Amino acid sequence: MKDFFVSYTTADETWAKWLAWELENAGYSTVIQAWDFRPGKNFVIEMQRALNECERVLALLSPRYLASKFAAEEWSAAIASDPTGDKLIPVRIESFDDEGLFRARIYIDLVGADEATARQRLLDGVKRERAKPTTAPAFPARTGGMTPPLRFPGTMPAIWNLPFPRNPHFTGRNELMAQLRDALNAGQAAALIQPQAIHGLGGVGKTQLAVEYAYRHASEYDIVWWVRADAPTLIAGDLALLAQPLDLPQKDEREQNVVVQAVLRELAQRNRWLVIFDNAEEPRDLRAFLPRGSGHVLITSRNPNWRALAQPLDVQVLPREQAIEFLLKRTGLPPLSETGEGRGGGDAGALADELGCLPLALEQAGAYIEASGVSLRDYLALFRTRHRELLAHPPATDYPATVATTWEISFDAIAAQGRNGIAPLLLNLLAFFAPEAIPREVLQTQRVSETLRVSLDDDLALNAAVMLLRRYSLVQYSEGMFALHRLVQTIVRDRMDDATRKTFAETALHCVNDAFPFESDDVRTWADCARLNAHARAVTDEAERLGIAPKATARLLNQVGLYLLHRAELAEAKALLERALAIDEA
């Protein structure tokens, strides 16, 4: 007979492992799915055996646990077998509003506790006897403890640069997460990198899957580093920036390749690191930049041809049931009952079908419904009307019509709120930058003030515009950085007439041109150059295509070319300098 069965949902596995480790380290025996349910076994039989052959069940309470059908079966079986006793011990690992049947039970509360406190609360909470300690309590000052092999869940790595917050509405994908984890662990066991490439069409959720993986397993890594992989120079620049937090001797070297190689050598000597290459185009672009050693590499790409370099994992649209679950969660409606019926269930299913279960389209629909207060049925009717209208004039680009329609509805809703005419203008401007983090200070120019028709000193007006765009999930904004999905940018640009496009493209060009700080004799400017590199490429490409602002275009191309020249990115520097020269000669 085991002492404890640890009941949890897959998203909280790091917590489950930590609890099981601490309990076994204290002399208890446990059963935990991650360690005890081996391949080839029948999951249902193993679960039944674990529940029958343990004295008590630890239920790890989180919003995800309470929404899980399998978790509900586990804790309800524990209560049924001992309704008035202590067979079920709730352990709260995350705050939530509706405690349901757990409201009447005393639980072990680990929310907000540091590691030492959480360990003590856990061990004290599982004791059956009175909780009086055997030694005098320590003076109540902050104390640490020995670091266990598994770092305390919820603690972030010392080196971390993810540009996105965790998505509170992330739904499903557990099977994909498990496949991803298995593939990465297989590579680690062989002491070789087994990169995992996630590929799929735009809007299917590749980047969100990588972000969720990083947050879910953050406690298992000491380094998590995000690399923009749209172009080789971006890859090299972002990898070179890792030299600073690693405090490498080469961190201030002028030649970028020297810094990159130093970073790769350092990673090869370490373990417990995760490097994510986001939106890679071609395997050949990454080959020279893949770290070796006992860490993990994760790649996201629309290109499926990664098998020569990485193990591909195909990300499809959400399964219909998960798409419905996401819509209900995103709009604040109660979840479906086990029969598949429930408030809004039929409408949610119809809308999920209409949107093709595409995660980005589902997010946009949920954001609109939440912001406007319309019902699922009303939104579906509106979507069907606008869908037919939009398909009469199909866009020239390859984005899904479902996504275009959901955003068209949101665009109209924002434009209808005349009290904030800045919001659609700000969206137009941001559409011409790269789909990367866009620093807010880059927009603080007189030209932007004139284009958006707002005073540079009017932070309240600009903040109100940002809030409106965020309400409809058209823009992400965090810590002074804007970010737009590339499909949002494409659709926003496609909606403009030629004159409007030229106005906003030229404003974006001047923003980056004015902000690009390169000075060949001041390496302190290089970090900002690396941050603006992708935006410089985006705005100059569009300016040349539209034939606007040749002087500003040539100047910016020249500055980026000189920056890359000093970083010894010679081929890229040559191409940009030749473009600048051609414009100046013309």
Side-chain angles (χ1 to χ4, degrees), residues 397 428 431-432 489-508 542 545-546 548:
T397 51
N428 286 352
F432 288 95
Q489 293 181 308
T490 299
I491 295 172
V492 170
R493 292 196 299 267
D494 281 355
R495 299 174 77 246
M496 300 181 195
D497 57 35
D498 289 344
T500 304
R501 178 188 288 268
K502 289 180 178 180
T503 296
F504 285 96
E506 185 170 351
T507 300
E542 187 69 10
R545 197 184 72 79
L546 296 175
I548 58 174

Side-chain angles (χ1 to χ4, degrees), residues 126-137:
V126 298
K127 291 178 181 178
R128 280 195 158 116
E129 65 270 15
R130 188 180 179 209
K132 180 180 178 180
T134 56
T135 58

Side-chain angles (χ1 to χ4, degrees), residues 155-207:
T155 58
M156 305 305 287
I159 299 176
W160 169 280
N161 78 328
L162 252 66
F164 306 105
R166 190 172 188 177
N167 182 358
H169 306 295
F170 188 89
T171 301
R173 302 296 201 192
N174 288 334
E175 184 176 349
L176 274 173
M177 282 286 183
Q179 293 175 14
L180 178 56
R181 187 65 183 153
D182 289 345
L184 293 177
N185 277 338
Q188 188 181 37
L192 298 172
I193 288 299
Q194 179 58 61
Q196 186 73 18
I198 304 175
H199 63 86
L201 61 87
V204 81
K206 303 180 297 296
T207 296

Side-chain angles (χ1 to χ4, degrees), residues 293-338:
S294 299
H296 293 164
V297 170
L298 182 55
I299 304 164
T300 76
S301 175
R302 294 191 190 185
N303 184 351
N305 302 311
W306 286 92
R307 197 167 295 280
L309 195 63
Q311 180 176 338
L313 177 64
D314 192 13
V315 181
Q316 301 291 340
V317 298
L318 281 174
R320 186 174 187 273
E321 184 178 341
Q322 293 180 13
I324 294 172
E325 180 186 351
F326 175 87
L327 275 175
L328 295 176
K329 181 192 298 184
R330 185 66 178 83
T331 55
L333 292 171
L336 293 176
S337 65
E338 293 185 12

Side-chain angles (χ1 to χ4, degrees), residues 475-487:
V475 168
Q476 290 181 321
Y477 183 75
S478 177
E479 298 182 357
M481 294 287 184
F482 294 98
L484 282 76
H485 192 280
R486 64 186 64 251
L487 290 182

Side-chain angles (χ1 to χ4, degrees), residues 78-188:
I79 291 178
S81 63
D82 187 21
T84 61
D86 66 348
K87 173 112 180 175
L88 180 71
I89 304 177
V91 181
R92 195 173 75 123
I93 60 173
E94 191 172 326
S95 298
F96 49 87
D97 296 327
D98 185 9
E99 299 174 0
L101 293 176
F102 291 101
R103 191 186 309 277
R105 294 222 166 209
I106 299 173
Y107 48 69
I108 300 171
D109 194 0
L110 305 186
V111 175
D114 59 28
E115 184 174 3
T117 304
R119 182 187 300 112
Q120 195 61 50
R121 288 181 183 177
L122 173 66
L123 298 180
D124 288 345
V126 298
K127 291 178 181 178
R128 280 195 158 116
E129 65 270 15
R130 188 180 179 209
K132 180 180 178 180
T134 56
T135 58
F139 180 70
R142 185 180 181 88
T143 58
M146 295 181 63
T147 302
L150 292 174
R151 195 165 73 242
F152 183 56
T155 58
M156 305 305 287
I159 299 176
W160 169 280
N161 78 328
L162 252 66
F164 306 105
R166 190 172 188 177
N167 182 358
H169 306 295
F170 188 89
T171 301
R173 302 296 201 192
N174 288 334
E175 184 176 349
L176 274 173
M177 282 286 183
Q179 293 175 14
L180 178 56
R181 187 65 183 153
D182 289 345
L184 293 177
N185 277 338
Q188 188 181 37

